[in-house]
């Protein structure tokens, strides 16, 4: 399907109110292009730790919206321009010129799959759900994974660092807590390695469906893992639901900025003698996380590296 794309030029300072005005004119869904740097909160939500230097904010924003080819675009544009003219009387919204172009409908969620192919993490084969296992790999430990819109294919160094540590510490009695579960790849790896049970927490509702589908793809009973939505750092109800001093291993592949406040909380979920495996740490944040782990009363057992990324493993004595 072809879509008519309309791009409106405005000011970054007026973005929010112009978007609200577009909604009042009947426009649903707006794509924003500007040079405003991400806030720390936005970086955490997007699992971004560092960003390359970009151009300075020039105060200009481009807001794009789409109408189906057979939509009455003249009527929609007339309403938009009328609403913008009214708004202009009270606020500087810049040019607010609108340019039109056409774009093809694309399967944005699935297009990335062309870049995700099977690979090994040491002797574990990670394979996307849309690829076949080769005959020579049938006897390997295999993890079928389809992250969907959740985070975690296993390709990133941080996930691989965690998986290697799980191989060292998981046994048949392991109760695992996976903080920031995403696709569930770490929990599935642990269960494949023989763990008894896993509990996952995540902020993203997409993680719930992704975990369910990936458990099924790996022939793991749904009862082997429980998923909870919410922020375990500051939500007492999530902490209570997860439980206290009941986990042999807590894995947290997040960001250093999240690990620092998480660590003194998660100590309460670990059993005495339990193992805390962290990753998602860019190398220049290593000492920050190591210090947070020590400050929480944990014993640092090992710090491992892969390229620019770091994993810190500790124990609750």
């Amino acid at each position: 399907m072809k879509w008519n794309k309309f791009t409106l030029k405005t000011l970054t300072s007026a973005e929010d109110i112009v978007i609200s005005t577009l909604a009042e004119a009947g426009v649903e869904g707006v794509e924003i292009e500007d040079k405003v740097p991400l806030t720390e909160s936005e970086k955490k939500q997007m699992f971004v730790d560092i960003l390359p230097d970009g151009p300075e904010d020039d105060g200009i924003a481009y807001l794009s919206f789409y109408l189906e080819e057979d939509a009455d675009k003249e009527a929609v544009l007339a309403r938009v321009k009328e609403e913008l003219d009214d708004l202009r009387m009270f606020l500087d919204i810049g040019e607010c010129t609108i340019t039109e172009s056409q774009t093809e409908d694309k399967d944005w969620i699935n297009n990335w799959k062309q870049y995700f192919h099977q690979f090994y993490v040491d002797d574990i084969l990670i394979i996307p759900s849309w690829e076949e296992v080769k005959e020579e790999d049938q006897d390997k430990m295999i993890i079928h994974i389809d992250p969907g819109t959740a985070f975690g294919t296993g390709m990133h160094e941080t996930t691989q660092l965690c998986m290697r540590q799980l191989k060292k510490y998981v046994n048949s009695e392991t109760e695992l807590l996976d903080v920031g579960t995403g696709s569930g790849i770490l929990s599935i790896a642990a269960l494949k390695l023989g763990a008894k049970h896993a509990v996952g927490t995540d902020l993203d509702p997409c993680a719930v469906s992704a975990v369910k589908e990936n458990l099924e793809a790996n022939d793991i009973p749904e009862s082997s893992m429980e998923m909870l939505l919410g922020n375990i750092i500051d939500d007492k109800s999530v902490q209570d639901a997860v439980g206290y001093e009941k986990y042999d291993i807590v894995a947290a592949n997040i960001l250093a900025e999240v690990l620092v406040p998480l660590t003194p909380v998660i100590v309460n979920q670990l059993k005495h003698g339990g193992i805390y495996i962290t990753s998602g740490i860019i190398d220049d944040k290593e000492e920050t996380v190591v210090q947070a782990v020590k400050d929480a009363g944990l014993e640092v057992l090992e710090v491992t590296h892969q390229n620019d990324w770091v994993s810190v493993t500790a124990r609750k004595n």
Side-chain angles (χ1 to χ4, degrees):
M1 177 188 294
K2 288 185 177 180
W3 295 75
N4 293 309
K5 178 180 180 180
F6 300 92
T7 302
L8 184 154
K9 183 178 180 181
T10 185
L11 305 178
T12 54
S13 58
E15 274 180 12
D16 291 342
I17 194 165
V18 171
I19 290 171
S20 296
T21 302
L22 290 173
E24 291 173 4
V27 172
E28 296 182 3
V30 175
E31 179 182 287
I32 304 171
E33 296 178 66
D34 59 32
K35 297 174 183 174
V36 178
L38 294 177
T39 65
E40 290 303 315
S41 174
E42 288 168 335
K43 289 182 185 179
K44 290 175 183 178
Q45 291 174 7
M46 296 173 64
F47 296 92
V48 175
D49 196 3
I50 57 173
L51 285 170
D53 291 333
E56 292 186 6
D57 178 19
D58 58 5
I60 302 298
Y62 295 91
L63 308 179
S64 297
F65 58 94
Y66 298 83
L67 301 176
E68 293 183 28
E69 197 172 22
D70 58 355
D72 187 353
K73 64 180 183 181
E74 283 78 15
V76 174
L77 289 176
R79 288 197 301 273
V80 166
K81 289 175 180 176
E82 182 180 354
E83 294 283 355
L84 291 174
D85 285 341
D86 289 343
L87 180 60
R88 198 189 301 275
M89 296 172 62
F90 305 99
L91 180 71
D92 182 6
I93 56 176
E95 294 180 16
C96 274
T97 52
I98 298 176
T99 57
E100 180 180 353
S101 59
Q102 274 199 334
T103 184
E104 293 284 349
D105 188 18
K106 293 184 179 180
D107 187 357
W108 297 108
I109 289 179
N110 289 316
N111 276 355
W112 65 272
K113 291 182 178 180
Q114 63 185 299
Y115 304 107
F116 179 27
H117 302 289
Q118 55 187 284
F119 63 99
Y120 276 99
V121 179
D122 299 336
D123 57 347
I124 300 175
L125 176 63
I126 313 293
I127 184 167
S129 59
W130 53 89
E131 289 191 3
E132 295 292 329
V133 178
K134 298 173 184 175
E135 186 64 34
E136 61 267 27
D137 290 327
Q138 294 289 342
D139 60 342
K140 304 289 194 307
M141 178 182 286
I142 300 169
I143 296 177
H144 299 272
I145 202 76
D146 183 353
T149 54
F151 182 78
T153 62
M155 296 181 72
H156 199 276
E157 291 95 328
T158 59
T159 310
Q160 296 179 24
L161 285 164
C162 280
M163 290 178 69
R164 292 190 180 99
Q165 296 306 100
L166 287 172
K167 287 175 64 180
K168 295 178 184 178
Y169 294 103
V170 167
N171 60 48
S172 60
E173 297 301 313
T174 296
E175 289 281 346
L176 172 77
L177 174 60
D178 183 1
V179 181
T181 309
S183 66
I185 187 168
L186 291 180
S187 292
I188 289 169
L191 292 167
K192 287 262 188 176
L193 289 165
K196 181 191 291 186
H197 186 258
V199 173
T201 70
D202 207 293
L203 302 177
D204 185 356
C206 294
V208 177
S209 56
V211 166
K212 182 178 180 180
E213 291 168 6
N214 286 322
L215 287 172
E216 183 177 347
N218 287 278
D219 297 320
I220 296 174
E222 193 173 336
S223 59
S224 297
M225 184 173 180
E226 180 184 356
M227 273 298 299
L228 298 170
L229 277 178
N231 190 342
I232 195 170
I233 294 175
D234 56 15
D235 190 331
K236 184 67 162 52
S237 65
V238 176
Q239 297 169 11
D240 291 343
V242 166
Y244 301 94
E245 294 192 348
K246 62 180 290 186
Y247 296 96
D248 302 283
I249 298 176
V250 173
N253 180 22
I254 319 181
L255 299 176
E257 289 83 357
V258 181
L259 290 171
V260 170
L262 171 69
T263 299
V265 173
I266 217 66
V267 166
N268 300 307
Q269 272 66 44
L270 273 170
K271 292 179 180 177
H272 291 287
I275 301 297
Y276 181 43
I277 299 171
T278 71
S279 193
I281 308 159
I282 194 71
D283 53 9
D284 65 2
K285 302 288 180 66
E286 176 182 330
E287 288 306 316
T288 301
V289 175
V290 167
Q291 191 59 50
V293 168
K294 291 179 178 178
D295 290 345
L298 299 172
E299 175 193 1
V300 175
L301 299 178
E302 191 175 6
V303 178
T304 55
H305 302 81
Q306 186 173 342
N307 297 325
D308 295 330
W309 297 93
V310 182
S311 171
V312 178
T313 301
R315 178 168 54 211
K316 179 179 177 180
N317 290 325

